[in-house]
Amino acid sequence: MGKIRILRMGWHSLDNWFKLKERGTTVSTEIMAGITTFLTMVYIVIVNPGVLSKAGMDFHGVFIATVLASIAATLIMGLVANYPIVIAPGMGLNAYFAFTVVGGGDVNWQTALGAVFVAGIIFILLSLTSFRYMLLDAIPSSLKHAITAGIGLFIAFLGLQNSKIVIASESTLVTLGHLSEPMTLLTIIGLAVSLVLMAYNVKGFLFIGMLITSLLAWIFGLLHAPASIVSLPSGFASTAMQLDIGGVFSNGMYAVIFTFLLITLFDTTGTMLGVAEQAGLMKDNKFPRARGALLADAVGTTVGSLLGTSPTSAYVESSSGVAAGGRTGLTAITVSVLLAITLFFSPTVEVLAGIPAITSPALIIVGFLMMNGLRQIDWRDLEEAFPAFLIVILMPLTNSIATGIGIGFIVYPVLKLIRGKRKDVHPIFYLFAVLFFIQIGFFTH
């Protein structure tokens, strides 16, 4: 009887905290929803360290930072905001960090982490005020969709390059690679497997696709089993508290900070609103407890920079958990617990991340999914469509997300002014355009 009474008290405590009955859900439903979300987004613990290690960062340090930053932000989302939304280092932002900020410039990863930290602090301050929404309103919806799609094209191109499906060419800059090469062929097979799983709406198709590709890589002798499947977390000190904030200002990395901030602002806000609407948690078209939800991501970005990873973002994969019945923060808590368990699988994750055929399909498919917003752009309207086109096409071609955004932001108000529609442009947006013009014209980053 005593045990039954304790269980009842525990259930009532959960119900009171997460409002399970009010939202029409149960503990078991929330746990299953959390497992579903985890399977759809856990690929990031493999892909993110693999991407950031290309910037010279220690794989194990980034792996631990990725998991801990995700846990910290997701716990805040679950316990404070009570939403079934997961936060983790964002795809696209990690590629921008590794290949544009570090790989394409004269700064090291420590300074890049400093830029993430500064952006995170500004993010926290904005989340405490209404100015965040003013910034979001200042950016035309066509450019918001273009930025997301451009980042998608950027990371898809990265996946094609990593797998050597696309290779460099002296005459045409890029060309089709040698598809018969073992790693390239395996990438194509892995991509096909993931697409088939995706077509049949298999939950966690990216992660399952990775596992199947890993098995094929092992069979074909392209993957060697790790010395141990699990181990205690190690290497954390190599990335934790290594950021260089002073270098951010000495290198004039203001556009980098702005890019981190801008993408995180509307990407996270858009994802949160979409997932909350899907879960039926919007009230009178408003986002309840918005401050706690926004702070979760802002804190995640800031903590992540201190631990050693790129900015965090709300994951659209959270919608899979909502589809499975998740309605409260208990779903997010479940994901956090499962993420904590992955900390002990560092040897296995390192081996998987070192095989391009395993990670590249995820980059390509996520890139494809991010292109969806292009259908929201009115391509018949030159003033809206051409700046959007420039953003999308220039991100991969210049190997710089910031450059693509900057040129699109400059051209947009110019076209509006030429057409005599200066009042259609938010005053803050003119400031954005001037800042990007100065940055692109006179500074390195």
Side-chain angles (χ1 to χ4, degrees):
M1 292 295 293
K3 290 183 178 179
I4 294 176
R5 188 178 295 111
I6 291 173
L7 287 173
R8 286 177 176 173
M9 290 176 60
W11 189 90
H12 285 304
S13 296
L14 286 175
D15 183 48
N16 291 334
W17 186 275
F18 295 108
K19 301 180 180 179
L20 300 174
K21 187 179 295 184
E22 179 183 321
R23 297 189 184 181
T25 185
T26 64
V27 172
S28 59
T29 298
E30 293 296 302
I31 292 175
M32 286 306 300
I35 294 172
T36 301
T37 299
F38 173 77
L39 289 175
T40 61
M41 58 76 62
V42 70
Y43 68 88
I44 194 61
V45 306
I46 300 174
V47 176
N48 195 56
V51 170
L52 295 190
S53 62
K54 300 290 180 63
M57 302 182 72
D58 177 70
F59 180 92
H60 295 283
V62 177
F63 170 70
I64 295 174
T66 299
V67 175
L68 292 183
S70 302
I71 291 173
T74 302
L75 282 176
I76 295 174
M77 179 66 73
L79 293 172
V80 178
N82 196 22
Y83 281 114
I85 299 173
V86 174
I87 297 175
M91 291 291 290
L93 285 168
N94 52 8
Y96 173 63
F97 180 104
F99 300 103
T100 301
V101 180
V102 178
D106 300 321
V107 301
N108 53 30
W109 59 264
Q110 291 91 339
T111 304
L113 284 178
V116 176
F117 177 79
V118 175
I121 294 298
I122 297 174
F123 197 3
I124 290 175
L125 296 175
L126 290 176
S127 297
L128 295 172
T129 68
S130 60
F131 190 64
R132 171 176 183 149
Y133 295 100
M134 187 184 301
L135 286 177
L136 290 170
D137 291 340
I139 304 169
S141 61
S142 60
L143 301 193
K144 293 176 185 175
H145 294 307
I147 292 172
T148 301
I151 294 173
L153 194 58
F154 182 91
I155 63 176
F157 187 49
L158 176 62
L160 293 170
Q161 286 179 303
N162 287 348
S163 59
K164 296 187 178 179
I165 293 176
V166 170
I167 59 176
S169 167
E170 291 185 4
S171 57
T172 61
L173 296 182
V174 293
T175 189
L176 188 66
H178 305 291
L179 303 186
S180 60
E181 288 190 6
M183 193 64 70
T184 304
L185 180 60
L186 183 58
T187 301
I188 296 172
I189 295 172
L191 180 61
V193 168
S194 295
L195 287 174
V196 170
L197 294 171
M198 182 181 176
Y200 281 94
N201 296 316
V202 176
K203 302 298 182 184
F205 66 90
L206 281 178
F207 183 62
I208 295 172
M210 282 181 168
L211 294 181
I212 295 174
T213 307
S214 302
L215 178 61
L216 293 174
W218 178 73
I219 293 173
F220 296 146
L222 298 175
L223 182 152
H224 301 287
S228 61
I229 302 297
V230 297
S231 70
L232 292 174
S234 62
F236 185 46
S238 62
T239 59
M241 301 304 296
Q242 299 296 314
L243 67 169
D244 176 14
I245 300 175
V248 175
F249 300 102
S250 63
N251 284 279
M253 297 174 63
Y254 306 109
V256 172
I257 296 171
F258 181 68
T259 301
F260 280 142
L261 185 63
L262 184 67
I263 296 172
T264 306
L265 271 172
F266 68 76
D267 187 39
T268 291
T269 304
T271 299
M272 287 182 183
L273 292 175
V275 174
E277 184 174 1
Q278 179 191 359
L281 301 176
M282 298 288 283
K283 294 183 178 179
D284 299 324
N285 205 30
K286 293 183 179 180
F287 188 39
R289 300 173 309 284
R291 180 168 296 179
L294 299 176
L295 272 175
D297 189 33
V299 171
T301 293
T302 307
V303 170
S305 67
L306 295 171
L307 299 178
T309 188
S310 50
T312 59
S313 180
Y315 262 52
V316 72
E317 284 84 353
S318 302
S319 61
S320 64
V322 170
R327 293 294 182 272
T328 75
L330 188 55
T331 294
I333 303 303
T334 301
V335 176
S336 297
V337 172
L338 294 173
L339 282 171
I341 295 173
T342 66
L343 279 172
F344 299 94
F345 288 85
S346 178
T348 303
V349 170
E350 183 179 23
V351 169
L352 298 181
I355 307 296
I358 296 173
T359 56
S360 292
L363 292 171
I364 295 169
I365 292 176
V366 171
F368 156 72
L369 293 173
M370 293 176 73
M371 300 290 287
N372 182 57
L374 289 179
R375 62 184 179 142
Q376 304 294 331
I377 299 173
D378 185 358
W379 293 99
R380 297 166 298 181
D381 187 340
L382 176 67
E383 301 150 25
E384 300 290 332
F386 191 69
F389 163 75
L390 289 177
I391 289 174
V392 174
I393 197 69
L394 288 177
M395 282 188 188
L397 293 185
T398 62
N399 196 42
S400 172
I401 292 174
T403 298
I405 294 174
I407 293 178
F409 274 40
I410 293 170
V411 172
Y412 184 88
V414 170
L415 286 177
K416 289 291 186 181
L417 286 171
I418 291 174
R419 295 294 299 274
K421 299 180 180 179
R422 62 181 179 82
K423 292 184 178 180
D424 289 353
V425 181
H426 197 288
I428 292 180
F429 196 85
Y430 284 112
L431 176 61
F432 291 165
V434 171
L435 292 175
F436 268 121
F437 178 79
I438 294 173
Q439 189 69 31
I440 292 175
F442 301 100
F443 294 94
T444 303
H445 297 282

